[in-house]
Amino acid sequence: MRNMEFNEGYRVFNDITRAEKRSNRLVVLSLTFMLFSFLCCTYIIYEVNESAKNNFYLLDSGQKLATVRVKDYKRAIDILCEGHVGIFHELFFGLEPDLGFIKRNIEGKALYMVDRSGMRLYNRLVDQDYYEDIAKSGYSIELEKDSIIIDYSSYPFRFRFIGKQKIERDGETEYRNLVTTGYLMETKSTPNNLNGLKIVRFDVLDNRDLRK
């Protein structure tokens, strides 16, 4: 009788022990799974952040075209700065005989990329009826870029744009030299200025007609 009671008690004890072991294994597995999930999430977040750091947008007339992955930070800065300077000049100096087109490009896009020095130049040309004359004459101006030189040795970055304006007028083609300078400063990225850069102290150094 005592043996039966002992055996029964032993089986109950074993059942409790096995239940505790199963519970412990479940806790260990749960903790292991949570740790694994945490590590996976951390790795994914890290990879996304690294990818975002190395992604840069190619822009056309201020509109996002494609995302380019660039691992070389210096090359990424080159692309960003040269693109900003190049697009600003295309918007500001590439003109068509259409006042609506001119205002959309300059007032709606280019002036967000430059400080008040660009606004002063624009207002001066407006006062001189420069854009009115282009619209009335029916000729178009296409910008041709020769080079963009940027000095990264000091901040803000000084640049020089060298190019030409190709002027189509009455079936004839004329050229006008275009050399400008200014500085690039970092600013907050906005829907109107995706690059997060701004041209300051902008100045036109040379805009003379070229001999045929």
Side-chain angles (χ1 to χ4, degrees):
M1 187 71 176
R2 288 182 179 177
N3 287 338
M4 291 179 61
E5 291 177 355
F6 175 80
N7 290 336
E8 185 68 26
Y10 182 75
R11 281 197 298 271
V12 171
F13 177 78
N14 283 344
D15 290 340
I16 294 173
T17 302
R18 284 195 293 269
E20 288 179 348
K21 288 182 178 179
R22 284 196 298 268
S23 178
N24 290 337
R25 283 198 295 268
L26 184 60
V27 170
V28 171
L29 288 174
S30 299
L31 291 174
T32 303
F33 177 75
M34 291 174 62
L35 178 61
F36 178 76
S37 299
F38 173 76
L39 292 175
C40 286
C41 290
T42 303
Y43 176 77
I44 291 171
I45 292 171
Y46 172 80
E47 286 295 311
V48 169
N49 287 337
E50 287 299 306
S51 178
K53 288 178 183 178
N54 295 325
N55 285 341
F56 291 84
Y57 293 114
L58 290 180
L59 305 176
D60 181 28
S61 300
Q63 301 302 314
K64 193 184 302 181
L65 283 182
T67 305
V68 179
R69 186 172 177 81
V70 183
K71 292 186 178 180
D72 184 347
Y73 180 75
K74 184 179 183 305
R75 179 57 184 151
I77 293 297
D78 286 342
I79 292 173
L80 201 62
C81 292
E82 289 179 14
H84 189 86
V85 172
I87 291 167
F88 168 77
H89 282 76
E90 288 177 10
L91 293 170
F92 200 96
F93 295 100
L95 306 171
E96 293 293 333
D98 182 339
L99 284 177
F101 173 86
I102 293 171
K103 286 185 177 181
R104 283 194 302 273
N105 275 358
I106 297 180
E107 295 181 8
K109 297 177 183 178
L111 292 182
Y112 288 101
M113 306 171 73
V114 67
D115 70 351
R116 292 182 179 179
S117 58
M119 176 65 79
R120 286 195 296 269
L121 174 59
Y122 176 66
N123 288 336
R124 187 162 67 247
L125 293 173
V126 169
D127 291 340
Q128 295 172 358
D129 294 327
Y130 175 69
Y131 302 111
E132 290 276 357
D133 291 341
I134 291 175
K136 291 177 181 178
S137 65
Y139 63 85
S140 63
I141 301 177
E142 179 184 345
L143 183 69
E144 295 184 354
K145 181 188 73 175
D146 293 330
S147 64
I148 297 174
I149 303 168
I150 302 176
D151 180 10
Y152 296 104
S153 63
S154 61
Y155 182 82
F157 307 137
R158 185 173 184 176
F159 73 84
R160 175 171 291 206
F161 177 95
I162 302 172
K164 293 183 289 291
Q165 287 177 296
K166 179 182 177 182
I167 305 170
E168 299 285 350
R169 177 164 39 195
D170 299 328
E172 296 183 355
T173 301
E174 300 176 4
Y175 287 90
R176 186 176 294 159
N177 203 32
L178 181 63
V179 180
T180 70
T181 188
Y183 295 81
L184 284 168
M185 292 188 66
E186 186 179 358
T187 188
K188 185 178 180 180
S189 178
T190 68
N192 292 314
N193 184 4
L194 295 173
N195 287 332
L197 294 171
K198 189 171 285 278
I199 295 170
V200 299
R201 289 180 271 170
F202 181 68
D203 190 24
V204 176
L205 301 178
D206 186 9
N207 196 210
R208 294 174 296 176
D209 291 334
L210 295 175
R211 294 180 180 180
K212 294 183 180 179

